[in-house]
Every structure is written in structure tokens, then in C-alpha cells.
Amino acid sequence: MMAITFRTWVRAELETVWAVVLDSVENPQRYMSDVEAIRVLERHQGGITKELKIRGMESAPGCFDFFVFERGTLKEIKSTENDNVCASGVFDSFVFESSITREVTVRGVPYRERIRISNKERKIHRELIDHPTCSGKLIVKAVPSSVQNPMAPVDLQFFLELESMKGAKEEKEEMTAEIKKEQQRLKEKAEELEASAVRREGRSLN
């Protein structure tokens, strides 16, 4: 599985950046050039997802009991199917307020994504459900560089984990390139909105 991080500084207020990120959930065609159609299939209330990471493994299977010690540091895993295993790992959770499942059509090929949204953390999880050539997830997060200064740049982070089926290396590379372009379009849109707001404010003062 390929894991890669894209980061870019956005010269806009945090609320502006986050509004654009949310807009990309409902209107991905504005930020993804290859999107031909979009349809929201389901909307749900919030919840919590949990994932177990162990020594470089992406996640552990769900058929186990576990114990967590020392503020979330995992010290022992007891499998319900195998022998006991001792390992060092992290038990991670993500609390979200809402989620949607959408169908996106790219170059004539439809696939679904499950998207979980946390307004509190300014973070979304996008999970590929039935993509024909790739599996994985994308985490998008908007992080302010300064809490005291609302005009300080925002760190727009994309964390991508992607695995392609055998013989689909080219498709994975294309998807990675498109996600990087999407991030750039988000940045440009947020900065454009911020500049427009500043101009309007300047005219009102005059």
C-alpha cells in the first residue's frame, strides 16, 4: 500500500478554507476535473470509527479483544482466533458529526465513497468503497498555523493511503495526481474567496 502526504499553505482564514473543503464534499466536480456526475446516495448522523495500528500495519482485523494502557498506547492484544500476541501499537478513534455516501462517475466509470465529517476537528475521512482498480482512503484536514492570528495561513493536509489491484499501477498514479490537483484547486478557491472578502470590506470602509 502506498502512503503519501500532500501539504500546502492557504492564505485564507480557517473558516473560509473549511467551507471550501465542505463544498468539495457536495460538489466534487468543482475541484476534480474528471468528474462527470455526482449523486448522494445516503446521509447519516455522526458516530465514531476505531482503528488499530500495530508496528507499521495499516490496521488489525476485527476479531480480537484488546486492552489499552498508558493513555492510548496498546500493550497487549488477545486474539479470539489465534494465540495471544504481544505488540506495541496505537488505538486510534475518529469522532464525526455526519457522513454521506456518494456515487462519483469519472471517465464513464462510477464508484462510491463513504465520507465522514468532523467540523470540530476540521477533518474529513474519504473511503473508497467499490472502486474498480483501487482501494484506500483520503484524510483531509485544515490546521491553523496560529490560534491567536485568524489571518495566519492554514495548513491544508491530504493524507492518502492507496492500494491498486494487480496491473493497475497506472490508474493509481493517475488518481494520486488528480488528488494533488484537487488540493491545489481547493487552495485557489479559498484564496479567491478570501481576496474577494477583503476587497468588499475595503469598499465598505471607504
Side-chain angles (χ1 to χ4, degrees):
M1 175 175 286
M2 177 190 70
I4 189 169
T5 300
F6 300 121
R7 301 177 65 177
T8 186
W9 291 104
V10 185
R11 297 191 176 280
E13 292 191 17
L14 177 62
E15 294 303 323
T16 302
V17 176
W18 183 240
V20 172
V21 171
L22 292 179
D23 183 54
S24 72
V25 173
E26 299 286 345
N27 302 287
Q29 70 278 8
R30 296 176 179 173
Y31 308 92
M32 300 167 65
S33 60
D34 290 337
V35 170
E36 299 168 352
I38 168 69
R39 184 163 62 106
V40 175
L41 303 177
E42 297 175 333
R43 294 184 186 272
H44 298 285
Q45 298 298 316
I48 183 170
T49 62
K50 298 179 180 181
E51 185 177 62
L52 189 61
K53 293 183 179 292
I54 309 169
R55 289 184 180 177
M57 293 171 58
E58 298 302 328
S59 60
C63 52
F64 54 81
D65 299 320
F66 58 86
F67 301 91
V68 179
F69 302 96
E70 295 184 10
R71 299 180 181 179
T73 300
L74 184 68
K75 294 300 180 183
E76 182 181 18
I77 302 170
K78 182 178 180 181
S79 172
T80 57
E81 293 188 348
N82 304 312
D83 295 332
N84 292 350
V85 179
C86 292
S88 177
V90 176
F91 183 61
D92 189 29
S93 63
F94 174 58
V95 180
F96 57 97
E97 293 91 33
S98 62
S99 70
I100 73 168
T101 301
R102 70 185 186 187
E103 182 184 79
V104 181
T105 301
V106 176
R107 299 176 187 173
V109 179
Y111 65 90
R112 291 182 297 153
E113 285 185 320
R114 182 180 294 113
I115 304 176
R116 300 179 176 95
I117 303 166
S118 172
N119 291 297
K120 182 178 180 180
E121 294 187 39
R122 301 292 194 274
K123 185 177 183 181
I124 66 172
H125 283 202
R126 286 169 46 184
E127 177 188 1
L128 291 174
I129 299 177
D130 58 357
H131 194 279
T133 60
C134 297
S135 63
K137 64 183 178 181
L138 173 66
I139 298 174
V140 180
K141 190 172 184 180
V143 181
S145 59
S146 172
V147 178
Q148 291 78 18
N149 181 9
M151 295 305 297
V154 173
D155 185 8
L156 182 59
Q157 304 173 355
F158 276 39
F159 303 98
L160 176 64
E161 293 182 357
L162 199 61
E163 185 169 9
S164 61
M165 297 180 184
K166 188 175 181 180
K169 181 180 178 181
E170 183 177 343
E171 286 83 353
K172 182 173 71 173
E173 292 174 351
E174 289 177 356
M175 181 174 286
T176 302
E178 187 60 33
I179 286 173
K180 192 170 183 179
K181 291 178 184 177
E182 179 187 356
Q183 183 190 48
Q184 180 62 26
R185 293 187 183 101
L186 289 170
K187 167 186 167 70
E188 292 171 356
K189 182 63 175 179
E191 292 180 342
E192 176 187 332
L193 291 173
E194 193 68 34
S196 297
V198 170
R199 286 195 296 269
R200 287 196 302 272
E201 183 178 344
R203 286 195 297 268
S204 66
L205 291 176
N206 295 331

